């Protein structure tokens, strides 16, 4: 009723109706923390303006002209160990002030989640106060449930995810890796149908989230803590070559294999954490076992393949499986060391002085299930 009344008053007064800021979320488009992308949606098209500042600092503004309802504005991050304040504006409508933490210089906290479809309570994760939130796939049930089957552009499912956790998304930079559900544009059915079920190009995902590189795969470095995060595109690899295929090629001649190999061969000193959404034991054996040999050049691999929590170790490499829905069927890794049937997430803590990385598997009530 208020919306109708607002439109009627505007028509009477011959004034334009202001665009309504509906949701705000933060990501990185750069390969390091030198900048941040502030994104939001509005009910009416307009320009894109972000104002931001730190306590005692000058107010800055980045503006993009034009008319759009899906807004992405990149702002520079030059401060450390402080809190940024910001607001977004389109037309005459401005959001309330939000905040996010600048990256630290002593201890970096990074949370990792997967299988977000059940929308659980993440109070314990927020209490951990992470500087960055990563994922290992499957944030939504499907794209087609929120629009017309086959529509690759529909971002409504991702908008609903942000709406479920408004304070989280407007205060913690978010960098997701994909699962098959994140690009499901048609019902899967009992057998491979005539038309593709998944949008391999991940059009809606890439349209909604601003991420580095090709976005369906990406690299993000935090040089102060000598850590590199890499997202790869693995899920349902057994469906490759059918209309159920959901991810990009992964053989030794594929784009992502060549890209990952170069990254690992030229990697800087420190930690490397690789994210994806396939069973660890399955993907490491692909390309004649070459994936595992490349993974070994890093520190840990994290997947959201199963509905459980697991830590496995092979040839000095840590393989983790994490899930916000952790009470499902279990498919243990042959090299499993720890296996939990509880809803869980991972908390990665990097201590700059000690040059250490600690991985905790935590239940959603905050209990530590495993620490390595």
């Amino acid at each position: 009723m208020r919306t109708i009344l607002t439109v009627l008053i505007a028509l009477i007064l011959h004034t334009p109706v202001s665009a309504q800021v509906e949701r705000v979320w933060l990501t990185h488009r750069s390969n390091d923390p030198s900048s941040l992308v502030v994104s939001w949606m509005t009910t009416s098209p307009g320009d894109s303006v972000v104002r931001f500042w730190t306590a005692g600092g000058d107010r800055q503004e980045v503006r993009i002209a034009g008319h759009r309802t899906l807004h992405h504005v990149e702002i520079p991050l030059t401060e450390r160990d402080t809190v940024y304040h910001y607001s977004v504006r389109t037309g005459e409508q401005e959001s309330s002030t939000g905040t996010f933490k600048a990256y630290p210089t002593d201890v970096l906290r990074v949370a990792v989640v997967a299988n977000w479809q059940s929308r659980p309570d993440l109070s314990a994760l927020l209490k951990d106060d992470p500087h960055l939130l990563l994922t290992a796939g499957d944030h939504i049930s499907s794209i087609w449930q929120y629009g017309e089957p086959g529509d690759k552009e529909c971002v409504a499912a991702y908008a609903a995810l942000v709406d479920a956790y408004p304070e989280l998304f407007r205060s913690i930079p978010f960098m997701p890796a994909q699962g098959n559900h994140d690009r499901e544009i048609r019902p899967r059915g009992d057998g491979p149908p005539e038309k593709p079920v998944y949008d391999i190009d991940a059009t809606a995902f890439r349209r909604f989230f601003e991420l580095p590189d090709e976005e369906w795969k990406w690299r993000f470095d935090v040089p102060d803590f000598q850590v590199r995060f890499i997202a790869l595109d693995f899920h349902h690899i057994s469906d490759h070559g059918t209309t159920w295929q959901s991810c990009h090629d992964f053989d030794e001649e594929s784009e992502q294999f060549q890209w990952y190999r170069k990254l690992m061969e030229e990697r800087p000193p420190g930690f490397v954490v690789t994210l994806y959404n396939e069973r660890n034991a399955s993907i490491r054996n692909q390309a004649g076992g070459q994936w595992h040999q490349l993974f070994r050049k890093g520190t840990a691999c994290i997947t959201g393949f199963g509905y459980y929590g697991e830590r496995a170790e092979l040839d000095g490499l840590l393989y983790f499986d994490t899930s916000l829905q952790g009470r499902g069927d279990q498919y243990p890794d042959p090299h499993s060391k720890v296996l939990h049937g509880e809803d869980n997430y991972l908390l990665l803590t990097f201590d700059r002085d000690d040059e250490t990385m600690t991985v905790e598997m935590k239940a959603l009530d905050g209990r530590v299930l495993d620490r390595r």
Side-chain angles (χ1 to χ4, degrees), residues 255-266:
E255 176 186 352
Q256 66 174 330
F257 182 90
Q258 297 294 331
W259 176 77
Y260 187 72
R261 182 170 65 181
K262 183 177 181 181
L263 286 180
M264 299 307 283
E265 289 175 348
E266 301 175 355

Side-chain angles (χ1 to χ4, degrees), residues 120-254:
D121 182 355
L122 295 182
S123 298
L125 184 152
L126 290 171
K127 190 175 180 180
D128 285 330
D129 197 25
H131 300 91
L132 179 66
L133 177 59
L134 308 177
T135 74
D138 287 346
H139 312 83
I140 61 176
S141 297
S142 73
I143 291 173
W144 62 266
Q145 289 175 306
Y146 287 80
E148 293 294 325
D151 184 357
K152 299 179 180 181
E153 299 281 342
C154 180
V155 299
Y158 295 113
L161 173 64
V162 173
D163 289 346
Y165 301 89
E167 291 307 312
L168 182 154
F169 279 101
R170 67 180 295 167
S171 62
I172 304 175
F174 178 65
M175 300 193 71
Q178 293 177 82
N180 62 302
H181 290 284
D182 297 313
R183 52 180 70 166
E184 187 175 320
I185 57 173
R186 294 185 179 90
R188 183 175 170 88
D190 297 328
E194 179 182 352
K195 295 182 178 180
V197 170
Y198 302 99
D199 173 23
I200 296 175
D201 291 331
T203 307
F205 178 92
R206 291 165 48 236
R207 181 174 173 233
F208 192 81
F209 298 112
E210 289 288 291
L211 298 167
D213 305 311
E214 287 76 27
E215 299 182 289
W216 57 266
K217 62 177 178 63
W218 50 258
R219 167 185 64 85
F220 186 72
D221 297 340
V222 188
D224 287 347
F225 294 87
Q226 297 189 81
V227 58
R228 167 170 288 178
F229 300 103
I230 302 174
L232 295 172
D233 190 31
F234 303 141
H235 34 85
H236 281 230
I237 61 174
S238 61
D239 292 328
H240 194 78
T242 74
T243 53
W244 275 348
Q245 181 177 335
S246 62
C247 67
H248 286 78
D249 295 343
F250 47 86
D251 61 81
E252 62 183 301
E253 300 300 325
S254 66

